[in-house]
Amino acid sequence: MTNDKEILLSVRNLDVCFGKRRNRFKAVNNVSFDVYKGETFGLVGESGSGKTTIGRAIIRINPTAAGEVIFKGEKINGKISRELDRRVTRQIQMIFQDPMASLNERAKVDYIVSEGLYSGDKLPEAERKQKVEKALAEVGLLPEFASRFPHEFSGGQRQRIGVARALIMQPEFIIADEPISALDVSIRAQVLNLLSELQKERGLTYLFISHDLSVMRFICDRIAVIHKGVLVELADTEKLFEHPLHPYTRALLSAIPLPDPAREKNKKLLVYDPAQHDYSVDQPKWVEIEEGHMVWGNEKELNQYREILKA
Amino acid sequence: MEREPILSVRDLDVKFNLRGRQLHAIRGVSLDLYKGESLAIVGESGSGKSVFVKTFMGLLDANGWVDNGQILYGGDDLVQYNTEKQWLKVRGRKIAMVLQDPMTSLNPLKTIGAQIMEAIELHQNMHGEQARQKMLSILTDVGISDPERRAKQYPHEFSGGMRQRVVIAIAVACNPEILICDEPTTALDVTIQAQILKLITDLKEKYQLTTVYITHDLGVVANVADRIAVMYAGDIVEIGMCEEVFYQPKHPYTWALLSSLPQMGVKGEPLYSIHGTPPNLFYEVKGDAFAPRNPKALKIDFEKRPPYFEVSPTHKARTWLLDPRAPKIDPPEAVLKLATEGVKGYD
């Protein structure tokens, strides 16, 4: 991608640790990437790879151990002023994976959607109601749904409520953590279309966290692949699919189930074995190997990758 | 391919009692399961695919019952079984099941060796050292290395993929004839998923199993299925060989399902999506259950339930579009594209 794009969010050498002293576990290790304004940036990895942890660290749910998160030129991780904290939590919103679990069962939709508005200055009731109505309309729900409880809705509708809840804060940046994984095939398309539409209308930027590469290929502009807390590759979506370099990326791509029996039944599965890297002497680095294409490797591996790119 | 039915379902109706109302979960389904085949049942959640196979094992919830129909297996009608004793001859021993979530389907308080042994001792009349040897050989079969040591470990010491291997080991421990896999890989990572599917396929050969997969993931289906049954609102709307259903689908619901795959989408354009929701099965469904969500539905779709029309000896669909009097409606572009070009690969 070109450099004239405006950087909205920048993550620099981020570490996130859990546990104390001997049980200390580094879930995210030295991760750096930029998210440009208006794009959909995908973060893909297996369970336990740290992809959700990164999302949560950005939105200040998980404390960071080292590194910086810079949002619109301001550092937003670690100790920051109350005023900035409030601004950040408004401008960055999150959509969660499981619409069955992420909505308060005991609250009406009206409250769920507008809960964020109650923080800070109190809005007049009429204005709040109006905002709720508008947010619901935007995600394709009827205004009378506001007086219902979450259990009255289907999975797809609940996920729309989750989106409405994020939208009402007028965010610039939305972290969507596996927003469609819990949904049925036919409902997935509806939610994906809704997200793209909103992006077009409002110029939203998404960080799309998922393990489903076929969905990501459809929706993401750029994709970063994470393995055990380390980013191993980052590139434009099509470039990543056409020229995957890191062996983990290749293994991941080879494993995607294809809804096409002729291909699927003959596909070759690659297995990734981390033991293939010899990092004892030559330490790996995070290097831009071609324009906009980052990869994690040591000098020897990088040379091999360059050969592949030339071919 | 030999076509000897191992299990036949005839006009099955399943109903549930929910808060005083009746839910008609399975609406007159007939199906022949052939020996040695791999059948995939595809459908959304709530389409009744899990309920359908649960009836094979007598595992319906207490508020559900088979209202009508027969399930013929091994010369018996399973619907007539009413004691646990009768069911135990079939359940686990002849028809085994692998469930979706390997985190919850194992007993956390027993070693995995003991859990596999339990199945062997209960069903195969083997005991002590003999059963232990059998258990170790099955663990090797499902790809667990160092079985002696692993057998003494507890489920929490295993990763998700390894746990699913253990669940599969328990299922095949009793040499069943039919193995039902209910969303076997949904809870697993893609790389592990591919390995587990391969394992089940290998075991199917080795133990000469007939496998039934229940899934909503068409990628998984394309990988494992010989034959596909598409379920919608408690009914099989289309059934055919894997290639027939993917490349020459006939039912509008199958069309819609295939078109809404992200692999078929064009970037920057909206993805095809199915409007509305599946019908409420508390009420009697009139006509074709998919008609209200089908923008090109015919008038008759709302009035009369379509019968099965045969497309080929192995392929039939429940849609009026196949009636000779029906207007010609072409499948959507995405479906035609899938048949001619296939999806983009990643190699």
Side-chain angles (χ1 to χ4, degrees):
Chain A
M1 198 140 287
T2 42
N3 291 325
D4 52 307
K5 288 233 170 181
E6 188 188 333
I7 293 172
L8 183 72
L9 178 95
S10 179
V11 175
R12 290 274 148 261
N13 308 96
L14 184 74
D15 284 0
V16 181
C17 293
F18 292 113
K20 284 204 174 89
R21 294 205 187 93
R22 264 175 51 216
N23 292 323
R24 202 168 166 84
F25 175 75
K26 221 178 208 184
V28 174
N29 192 352
N30 198 12
V31 161
S32 305
F33 61 87
D34 292 330
V35 179
Y36 300 116
K37 198 170 165 51
E39 78 168 342
T40 304
F41 184 87
L43 200 53
V44 67
E46 299 185 18
S47 50
S49 61
K51 55 189 193 301
T52 298
T53 308
I54 293 178
R56 290 168 66 98
I58 292 170
I59 203 171
R60 300 178 52 75
I61 299 174
N62 289 338
T64 54
E68 287 183 321
V69 181
I70 297 162
F71 180 67
K72 290 167 72 177
E74 281 176 292
K75 179 171 180 283
I76 59 164
N77 63 327
K79 278 215 169 92
I80 58 172
S81 70
R82 251 188 97 161
E83 184 267 336
L84 179 60
D85 180 56
R86 255 176 56 190
R87 211 166 67 223
V88 167
T89 33
R90 272 174 182 254
Q91 286 176 345
I92 307 181
Q93 288 290 313
M94 198 148 176
I95 301 171
F96 297 93
Q97 170 169 7
D98 188 352
M100 299 294 161
S102 60
L103 303 179
N104 183 349
E105 288 288 335
R106 295 174 148 233
K108 286 181 180 163
V109 170
D110 179 51
Y111 177 76
I112 293 172
V113 170
S114 61
E115 191 171 7
L117 296 175
Y118 284 101
S119 78
D121 307 325
K122 203 147 196 253
L123 280 176
E125 184 64 11
E127 198 179 322
R128 190 188 64 83
K129 277 244 151 70
Q130 192 201 345
K131 280 195 164 184
V132 170
E133 217 165 278
K134 191 161 154 268
L136 287 178
E138 270 176 317
V139 298
L141 295 174
L142 299 170
E144 58 258 36
F145 288 178
S147 58
R148 296 197 190 162
F149 288 98
H151 71 87
E152 297 174 67
F153 296 93
S154 66
Q157 284 174 320
R158 278 165 169 245
Q159 198 57 300
R160 284 164 191 268
I161 296 173
V163 176
R165 166 170 70 181
L167 282 180
I168 203 164
M169 303 306 291
Q170 307 248 329
E172 285 182 46
F173 184 53
I174 291 186
I175 300 173
D177 188 357
E178 306 259 16
I180 59 164
S181 307
L183 304 176
D184 264 314
V185 199
S186 69
I187 311 294
R188 275 183 189 189
Q190 292 177 13
V191 174
L192 278 182
N193 285 344
L194 173 68
L195 291 177
S196 321
E197 241 170 69
L198 291 170
Q199 182 169 44
K200 266 184 215 152
E201 278 167 23
R202 299 195 170 196
L204 291 172
T205 309
Y206 291 125
L207 175 65
F208 195 92
I209 300 172
S210 178
H211 66 274
D212 188 341
L213 272 162
S214 43
V215 169
M216 296 187 103
R217 186 179 205 180
F218 175 70
I219 196 165
C220 295
D221 298 307
R222 294 188 304 146
I223 295 179
V225 182
I226 183 168
H227 179 248
K228 299 228 162 119
V230 180
L231 283 191
V232 296
E233 195 160 0
L234 189 166
D236 289 359
T237 303
E238 282 311 305
K239 201 181 264 174
L240 188 80
F241 277 91
E242 277 155 26
H243 305 289
L245 292 177
H246 197 276
Y248 179 68
T249 314
R250 289 161 174 265
L252 208 55
L253 292 180
S254 82
I256 305 176
L258 301 170
D260 182 349
R263 266 173 206 275
E264 179 69 18
K265 288 196 166 119
N266 298 314
K267 77 172 179 188
K268 278 201 201 75
L269 204 60
L270 302 175
V271 177
Y272 175 62
D273 178 13
Q276 66 185 262
H277 304 290
D278 179 15
Y279 291 155
S280 52
V281 191
D282 194 0
Q283 293 291 313
K285 285 177 303 211
W286 182 232
V287 180
E288 184 165 15
I289 198 157
E290 57 177 334
E291 204 193 334
H293 191 164
M294 310 282 289
V295 69
W296 175 257
N298 62 17
E299 214 38 61
K300 189 171 151 232
E301 288 170 333
L302 291 173
N303 284 330
Q304 286 171 1
Y305 299 154
R306 286 190 189 102
E307 290 297 313
I308 296 171
L309 284 176
K310 264 185 230 156
Chain B
M1 187 184 152
E2 50 165 342
R3 309 261 294 167
E4 180 196 336
I6 185 169
L7 182 137
S8 292
V9 182
R10 293 276 162 267
D11 303 314
L12 192 74
D13 275 283
V14 175
K15 288 185 178 171
F16 285 89
N17 226 331
L18 280 172
R19 280 173 244 120
R21 293 161 78 200
Q22 273 190 12
L23 183 130
H24 202 163
I26 302 289
R27 305 181 300 126
V29 171
S30 297
L31 175 80
D32 280 327
L33 183 63
Y34 298 110
K35 202 172 160 71
E37 78 167 341
S38 157
L39 172 81
I41 302 176
V42 194
E44 296 177 55
S45 49
S47 61
K49 53 192 194 302
S50 285
V51 167
F52 180 56
V53 296
K54 276 183 182 170
T55 58
F56 302 172
M57 299 178 73
L59 287 175
L60 284 181
D61 291 345
N63 60 343
W65 70 94
V66 175
D67 201 55
N68 184 30
Q70 294 176 305
I71 303 170
L72 304 171
Y73 173 73
D76 275 358
D77 182 2
L78 299 185
V79 173
Q80 303 304 329
Y81 282 10
N82 43 26
T83 61
E84 276 299 291
K85 209 177 153 196
Q86 286 174 309
W87 274 116
L88 282 179
K89 279 192 288 179
V90 173
R91 190 191 297 152
R93 187 172 300 193
K94 297 284 185 192
I95 306 178
M97 198 156 179
V98 173
L99 293 170
Q100 172 171 357
D101 190 351
M103 308 294 156
T104 52
S105 43
L106 290 171
N107 182 343
L109 299 177
K110 288 172 108 180
T111 63
I112 62 121
Q115 297 187 49
I116 300 172
M117 294 261 283
E118 183 185 343
I120 297 172
E121 289 178 346
L122 198 65
H123 289 295
Q124 293 210 337
N125 225 357
M126 285 186 199
H127 295 282
E129 187 54 26
Q130 195 191 4
R132 211 178 74 87
Q133 286 306 327
K134 171 93 181 164
M135 178 266 290
L136 293 176
S137 87
I138 290 169
L139 275 181
T140 318
D141 278 352
V142 296
I144 291 178
S145 51
D146 197 1
E148 290 271 0
R149 185 176 61 87
R150 296 295 254 172
K152 290 186 197 122
Q153 293 183 326
Y154 289 89
H156 75 265
E157 296 173 80
F158 287 73
S159 65
M162 282 296 162
R163 271 184 236 192
Q164 194 63 304
R165 285 175 194 266
V166 173
V167 174
I168 293 169
I170 294 174
V172 298
C174 339
N175 285 331
E177 286 189 307
I178 302 174
L179 181 68
I180 299 172
C181 306
D182 190 350
E183 306 267 9
T185 57
T186 319
L188 304 176
D189 285 319
V190 273
T191 45
I192 312 293
Q193 170 176 337
Q195 293 168 18
I196 295 290
L197 292 179
K198 178 146 189 323
L199 171 70
I200 299 177
T201 313
D202 291 346
L203 289 174
K204 173 176 177 288
E205 291 302 315
K206 182 160 183 194
Y207 290 80
Q208 300 186 330
L209 301 166
T210 305
T211 46
V212 179
Y213 289 87
I214 303 172
T215 178
H216 63 268
D217 187 333
L218 288 163
V220 171
V221 173
N223 185 319
V224 298
D226 298 328
R227 217 153 58 100
I228 300 173
V230 182
M231 267 191 113
Y232 185 74
D235 189 17
I236 294 179
V237 295
E238 179 158 9
I239 184 165
M241 302 306 288
C242 186
E243 285 73 18
E244 288 173 327
V245 173
F246 269 102
Y247 300 140
Q248 292 139 32
K250 298 295 177 198
H251 197 281
Y253 178 63
T254 319
W255 291 351
L257 215 51
L258 290 171
S259 315
S260 59
L261 285 169
Q263 285 93 341
M264 300 317 296
V266 180
K267 210 167 189 159
E269 287 172 28
L271 196 58
Y272 179 87
S273 72
I274 309 176
H275 294 284
T277 48
N280 186 340
L281 295 176
F282 278 118
Y283 305 109
E284 202 52 45
V285 176
K286 212 175 164 210
D288 184 340
F290 186 61
R293 300 174 80 186
N294 178 7
K296 288 182 186 160
L298 308 171
K299 194 163 159 263
I300 191 167
D301 283 334
F302 292 97
E303 289 159 2
K304 206 166 163 218
R305 188 176 185 186
Y308 283 113
F309 289 93
E310 205 166 86
V311 183
S312 81
T314 50
H315 185 189
K316 57 185 181 175
R318 233 191 229 283
T319 166
W320 285 115
L321 288 181
L322 292 171
D323 190 282
R325 290 161 293 177
K328 192 165 160 32
I329 292 180
D330 285 322
E333 230 171 87
V335 171
L336 297 172
K337 204 176 120 199
L338 180 65
T340 49
E341 296 167 29
V343 297
K344 282 185 276 185
Y346 303 112
D347 33 29

